[in-house]
Amino acid sequence: MTFTRRSFLTGAALTGGALFQELKIPELVDARRQGQSIAMTAQVGRTAFFPERDSPTLGYNGSYLGPTLRVYRGDDVEIAVTNALGEATTVHWHGLLIPGELDGGPHQTIRPRKTWRPVLPIRQPAATLWYHSHVHGRTAEQVYAGLAGLLIVTDRDEATLGLPAEYGVDDLPLILQDRQFEDGMLVLPQGMMATMHGRRGDTLMVNGTVNPVARVPRRLVRLRLVNGSNARAFDLAFADHRSFHWIASEGGLLERPVALRSLSLAPGERAEVLVDFHDGQPAVLETGPDGNAPMMMRMMGGGNRLRGERQAIIRFEPQGTGTRSAQLPDKLVTHERQSMSNAVRRRRIAMTMGMRGMRGGAGMGTFGINGRPFDMERIDAEIRRGDTEVWQVSAEMMAHPLHIHGVHFEVLSRNGSPPGIRDQGLRDTIMVENSVELLVRFSHTAATAPYMYHCHILEHEDNGMMGQFIVR
Ligand SMILES: [Cu+2]
């Protein structure tokens, strides 16, 4: 059987239901069951995304992606990360509010054969976070190869709500990624397009599973959605247009559940949703096209899914007997409102991107913040701990997802208008199409090592669309 035939079959399987692969669920590593000491090794491996096709990949304690780490608010957790790669790496705890020197950004390099042992103070509300490589200049390649995993913070407030919490059963981690394959082998897109628009692929995966099917109980199920793609944004909805409830943004639970039929998710963004499978009907989660993808890619492969049709991501098959439709809490948590009048400064952050003339034979993009590319030796801002600032963020040439380390922020406005329904809640990452105004509270210290703020299209970040600031 040639791969062309198999590829045809896997595509056909989305309608025929024959060649689905069971959704892989990353191993759960619970910090309390580990005595607050977790060991992880970044390692090389081989992964068969398609049968009999082993691609070279990277992972933590495995060949692709890493375990789901569960940590508890109030605890201090040591995570010993050993680098068994042949190159330097780092592990950034994306969304964790911890001091700068523990953050795992480009300044916390782990050299080959070395172990980094940060002790992470967990002092924030329950949330779906993730961890991934943030090594200087090679983040995109390392994440693409598999260096990412989920990090769940839990707390008492969340536990009292009775939300689905049985990991891998009614509480599912879903790391969404697009990847490019040739003859069933993972390939790394190269060239100017891959740099300008970020690396993209025509194959969607969840937790490293192509064409996944998840068996779920016939009740309310919680999905922890993470966009772990290098560049692709998702526009998620169920094929049967069923509604679901969005319950948590990047910073944790919303004040109350929000009924939605579609949900956008930019690279680095997360969302928790509750879906009711009580009716026992199978459901397919799909995505629309990414408006940020290069036109050429959207047009490639006539009649192809990249052109504008909706593409299946994962199929859910409810099992067992239905219980009564689960109760959804009316109220989740209370957020302490920040006031704009507390802001001590307004700062302009432009994610800039331009074409420089032919250089070394190839036209290259210039990426920066306010026109300046990232410089490890330059601190771009010094901020006082406890301060609140308004960040006026704009995006050039295309939409860029901004991630700010070490903070939670709220959206004050989008394109000059009041924030949209998806802008609510506490955030650490946000898609910027034209402009947004953010109210940023700097409550954690980055005195000995800075925090980063950058575009989460990883190729843009690696090429300079990043800045750094200290907080003291
Ligand atoms: Cu960007």
Side-chain angles (χ1 to χ4, degrees):
M1 189 194 281
T2 65
F3 180 71
T4 314
R5 173 76 178 145
R6 180 177 284 136
S7 154
F8 168 74
L9 282 174
T10 50
L14 288 172
T15 47
L19 285 175
F20 284 107
Q21 306 193 65
E22 178 116 18
L23 175 71
K24 292 182 190 119
I25 301 290
E27 180 201 0
L28 178 68
V29 174
D30 184 292
R32 286 193 174 169
R33 276 183 227 149
Q34 303 288 319
Q36 307 292 2
S37 176
I38 294 171
M40 290 212 304
T41 300
Q43 57 194 68
V44 297
R46 299 189 78 85
T47 304
F49 296 103
F50 292 94
E52 298 157 48
R53 293 290 191 282
D54 282 355
S55 300
T57 51
L58 305 179
Y60 300 102
N61 297 357
S63 72
Y64 188 78
L65 299 177
T68 296
L69 310 180
R70 183 159 65 196
V71 298
Y72 296 77
R73 183 179 193 172
D75 289 357
D76 296 325
V77 186
E78 180 192 69
I79 306 185
V81 185
T82 298
N83 181 358
L85 310 173
E87 58 179 315
T89 193
T90 80
V91 183
H92 169 51
W93 318 104
H94 184 137
L96 210 53
L97 304 182
I98 46 174
E101 64 273 16
L102 306 177
D103 192 47
H107 293 276
Q108 286 87 48
T109 302
I110 315 169
R111 307 213 170 277
R113 296 180 299 281
K114 298 289 185 199
T115 298
W116 180 52
R117 299 174 187 279
V119 178
L120 309 177
I122 312 301
R123 304 287 185 270
Q124 69 194 81
T128 297
L129 314 179
W130 64 309
Y131 60 91
H132 58 80
S133 165
H134 207 309
V135 70
H136 185 51
R138 285 190 41 81
T139 294
E141 290 187 29
Q142 290 195 352
V143 173
Y144 188 91
L147 289 185
L150 205 73
L151 176 64
I152 295 174
V153 178
T154 188
D155 67 7
R156 283 210 194 101
D157 294 347
E158 175 196 37
T160 60
L161 292 170
L163 297 169
E166 208 177 328
Y167 180 80
V169 178
D170 64 6
D171 182 353
L172 300 183
L174 301 178
I175 302 174
L176 312 183
Q177 296 177 314
D178 65 331
R179 291 291 185 267
Q180 191 63 34
F181 290 89
E182 271 171 30
D183 193 26
M185 301 289 286
L186 183 65
V187 294
L188 184 73
Q190 297 285 16
M192 195 191 72
M193 288 289 267
T195 305
M196 295 297 285
H197 294 269
R199 289 188 176 86
R200 292 157 185 277
D202 60 7
T203 303
L204 301 183
M205 312 199 295
V206 183
N207 303 342
T209 320
V210 178
N211 277 355
V213 60
R215 281 165 242 288
V216 291
R218 283 181 61 175
R219 56 175 191 256
L220 208 57
V221 172
R222 177 190 203 163
L223 307 179
R224 297 178 187 265
L225 300 160
V226 179
N227 185 343
S229 300
N230 280 36
R232 164 145 200 176
F234 295 103
D235 170 24
L236 305 170
F238 284 95
D240 62 6
H241 309 295
R242 71 177 61 198
S243 68
F244 51 86
H245 284 90
W246 175 36
I247 57 164
S249 62
E250 288 72 12
L253 291 165
L254 302 172
E255 295 204 299
R256 42 179 50 88
V258 178
L260 296 175
R261 287 183 197 277
S262 68
L263 179 140
S264 59
L265 208 63
E269 287 185 337
R270 290 91 62 205
E272 291 178 35
V273 301
L274 296 179
V275 187
D276 195 349
F277 292 109
H278 169 252
D279 66 6
Q281 294 301 309
V284 176
L285 184 66
E286 300 179 325
T287 182
D290 178 3
N292 229 4
M295 186 61 84
M296 198 195 284
M297 197 157 179
R298 276 180 276 162
M299 284 168 21
M300 266 186 331
N304 189 285
R305 46 211 178 186
L306 282 173
R307 205 173 57 171
E309 289 163 28
R310 298 191 68 79
Q311 197 175 352
I313 298 177
I314 180 171
R315 178 182 171 91
F316 296 95
E317 290 185 355
Q319 310 276 301
T321 47
T323 46
R324 273 187 313 115
S325 200
Q327 290 299 303
L328 187 71
D330 295 334
K331 184 96 190 63
L332 296 168
V333 291
T334 304
H335 290 164
E336 185 193 331
R337 287 261 171 263
Q338 297 300 315
S339 168
M340 204 176 149
S341 60
N342 292 338
V344 298
R345 183 182 292 101
R346 178 174 285 269
R347 216 180 274 276
R348 290 194 40 138
I349 307 288
M351 289 186 274
T352 49
M353 181 173 171
M355 292 296 289
R356 195 155 48 194
M358 303 296 274
R359 190 163 156 270
M364 279 298 290
T366 57
F367 299 87
I369 302 280
N370 297 336
R372 292 205 294 183
F374 178 67
D375 180 348
M376 281 279 265
E377 309 303 321
R378 185 190 70 227
I379 297 296
D380 297 285
E382 296 192 20
I383 294 167
R384 257 202 0 239
R385 183 179 170 171
D387 275 3
T388 300
E389 298 189 354
V390 175
W391 282 27
Q392 199 172 324
V393 186
S394 59
E396 261 184 21
M397 303 280 285
M398 57 190 280
H400 301 275
L402 177 77
H403 172 41
I404 311 176
H405 291 209
V407 301
H408 281 160
F409 55 78
E410 289 174 55
V411 181
L412 292 171
S413 74
R414 182 177 281 280
N415 307 330
S417 300
I421 193 149
R422 268 284 284 142
D423 287 326
Q424 62 188 293
L426 297 170
R427 315 295 301 261
D428 57 55
T429 308
I430 188 127
M431 190 59 136
V432 184
E433 273 154 55
N434 294 300
S435 65
V436 292
E437 269 183 314
L438 309 175
L439 191 62
V440 191
R441 176 113 189 269
F442 298 88
S443 51
H444 289 72
T445 306
T448 59
Y451 286 137
M452 305 290 131
Y453 58 103
H454 59 89
C455 175
H456 221 284
I457 293 177
L458 302 179
E459 290 72 14
H460 292 183
E461 171 194 328
D462 278 345
N463 284 284
M465 199 179 283
M466 178 155 72
Q468 54 185 352
F469 61 95
I470 58 169
V471 183
R472 63 169 130 235

